[in-house]
Structures are given as structure tokens and as C-alpha cells.
Amino acid sequence: MPQRKKHPSARARANRAATSAALGGALPEAQRPELPEARDWHPATVAWWEDIWASPMSAEWHSSDLHGLLILAVLMDKFWNEPTEKAASEIRLQRQAFGLTPYDRRRLEWTIETAADAKERGRARRAKQAPPAPDEGDDPRLVLVG
């Protein structure tokens, strides 16, 4: 006779990556770092910097990631001032580590949660927590009345 399968919560391996996360909000504006003022940054680089720190991915980055992001900002600045294939390929390689493209987020198993998704999850959670309404036929007090 075959054995019954274990409940999924009791299984040893869940096949989930350690990096998987549902990304909600961005890093608060007060915690977003500024580009160093020692350089005259291209306006496109400044816009890119503001965009990445306003993105949901920024909440997943650690303070040690700032150094890599600054290197990437310098590469972006060089590209906007003098576009070359070499700069573009280096940017492509460097941005993979930070989940800056849809493919990279997929590889890291990061999903960006929309407001509708969050509301639906909350609605489902509340419905699961509420006790089910009893059927009218299950009320033993009705025997006394009828």
C-alpha cells in the first residue's frame, strides 16, 4: 500500500529561493541617498537615480549595495555623456545584481505587488479568519420551537 504524501508544510524542501519577495513600497524619501556632489551629473543620470530609489526594489537593498549602485551611476553618467557599446554592456552586467529589469526580478523571484493585489490578499485573509455562518438547519434550539 503506498504511503500518503506529507502535508506541504511538513516537507523538507519547499523549492523556494531565499531571495524571493513580494515588493511593496519604496524606501522612504528621507532614507534615499543623494548622488555625490563632487561630480557634475548628467540630467538623465540624476533622473535614473531618483527613479531607482523611488522603485519598490529599493526596499530590498542593503546599505552595502550603495557602493555598487554608485559605480553603476558613474557608468550611466559616462554612457549619457559619451554612448559606447562597452559602457552599455557593462551597465547591463552591473544592473542585474540589483533587480533593475523585469528579467532580473524574475531571476531573483521578486514580484511587484500592486495595490489591487494587496487589497485582495487582505480580503482573502479576513474571510479565512472569520468563522463560517451556521446553517439554519444546524441550530438545535429549533427543535424546541417546532
Side-chain angles (χ1 to χ4, degrees):
M1 177 173 200
Q3 284 185 318
R4 278 196 271 153
K5 289 185 178 181
K6 289 182 180 178
H7 189 272
S9 65
R11 291 187 186 152
R13 197 173 90 185
N15 288 343
R16 238 177 76 202
T19 60
S20 67
L23 307 178
L27 199 64
E29 198 165 337
Q31 295 178 7
R32 296 177 191 169
E34 297 286 327
L35 281 168
E37 293 184 17
R39 183 182 186 118
D40 186 26
W41 297 96
H42 191 281
T45 306
V46 173
W48 170 81
W49 186 260
E50 291 170 359
D51 286 345
I52 65 167
W53 286 104
S55 73
M57 287 78 70
S58 66
E60 290 295 312
W61 297 331
H62 188 263
S63 60
S64 62
D65 293 329
L66 181 60
H67 306 292
L69 287 164
L70 284 170
I71 290 169
L72 185 52
V74 170
L75 289 169
M76 293 290 283
D77 202 55
K78 284 184 178 182
F79 177 79
W80 289 118
N81 285 316
E82 188 179 329
T84 63
E85 284 184 36
K86 184 174 177 157
S89 65
E90 188 62 29
I91 288 168
R92 181 182 51 80
L93 287 172
Q94 292 297 321
R95 71 181 180 181
Q96 287 179 355
F98 303 106
L100 295 176
T101 67
Y103 181 76
D104 299 328
R105 288 189 291 276
R106 174 81 176 161
R107 184 179 47 81
L108 292 167
E109 296 187 19
W110 287 357
T111 56
I112 297 176
E113 187 175 64
T114 63
D117 293 339
K119 286 179 184 176
E120 182 56 38
R121 259 197 15 245
R123 205 177 353 255
R125 185 179 60 247
R126 285 187 296 279
K128 190 189 302 184
Q129 291 173 348
D135 290 338
E136 284 187 30
D138 292 343
D139 192 353
R141 296 173 295 179
L142 292 176
V143 174
L144 299 173
V145 178

